Amino acid sequence: MSGDGAPTIDIDGSGLTVEIVASQWHTDVMDGLVAGAVRAAEKSGAAYRVTRVAGAFELTVVAEHLARQGADAIVALGVVVKGETPHFEYVCESVTLGLTEVSRANAVPVGFGVLTVDEVQHALDRAGLEGSKEDKGAESVEAALSTALILRSLA
């Protein structure tokens, strides 16, 4: 399981704003990811806003816009399930490279909560739902806010 060895992160996000950008495909999974992200933001004391986009591919342009608007941290949530065509590889690579570029170019942490899975059950196992093994929505917020605090301390 990919979550083995994950750190426990306790964050005081007071005074920070995290922008949560989430796709709409695979509603059950996305509802779990968004709920986990919101729980983690609230637990940290950070302000947050959730913006929904059509799919994973659209996460990048909205994240770029939010980074330029001065977000302290951004969390991108989505699900891409492997199918029978190469579309999966194109979308996964584009989203990964795009979000990396948003973070690097703007010096804004982007929590990567885009699940790239072989089957829907793998996503459900990571969605933070009852019975899930992991909560990637919460983990993505924790990682982004933790990095925002590190960047702030280095300023």
Side-chain angles (χ1 to χ4, degrees):
M1 173 66 39
S2 64
D4 290 345
T8 301
I9 301 174
D10 190 26
I11 299 160
D12 179 1
S14 303
L16 295 176
T17 299
V18 59
E19 296 282 357
I20 301 166
V21 186
S23 70
Q24 297 181 47
W25 281 76
H26 302 286
T27 304
D28 291 343
V29 174
M30 290 309 306
D31 287 350
L33 290 173
V34 170
V38 166
R39 277 192 307 272
E42 289 176 345
K43 179 181 175 189
S44 77
Y48 67 91
R49 173 175 53 176
V50 176
T51 303
R52 297 302 289 256
V53 299
F57 194 80
E58 292 74 26
L59 294 168
T60 303
V61 68
V62 175
E64 176 73 27
H65 177 76
L66 294 168
R68 290 179 183 179
Q69 298 296 313
D72 295 309
I74 299 166
V75 171
L77 303 174
V79 179
V80 186
V81 179
K82 190 169 189 172
E84 298 175 355
T85 69
H87 183 73
F88 172 84
E89 285 83 10
Y90 301 140
V91 171
C92 293
E93 183 175 10
S94 295
V95 172
T96 301
L97 293 175
L99 292 172
T100 300
E101 179 62 14
V102 168
S103 183
R104 190 211 55 79
N106 296 286
V108 174
V110 177
F112 191 81
V114 181
L115 305 180
T116 56
V117 297
D118 290 330
E119 56 190 65
V120 173
Q121 186 59 51
H122 296 158
L124 291 167
D125 288 341
R126 291 157 179 79
L129 299 165
E130 186 174 333
S132 293
K133 299 171 185 173
E134 298 179 73
D135 187 348
K136 294 300 183 184
E139 290 177 22
S140 298
V141 167
E142 292 165 353
L145 288 174
S146 175
T147 304
L149 290 169
I150 290 168
L151 291 172
R152 188 174 273 186
S153 75
L154 296 173

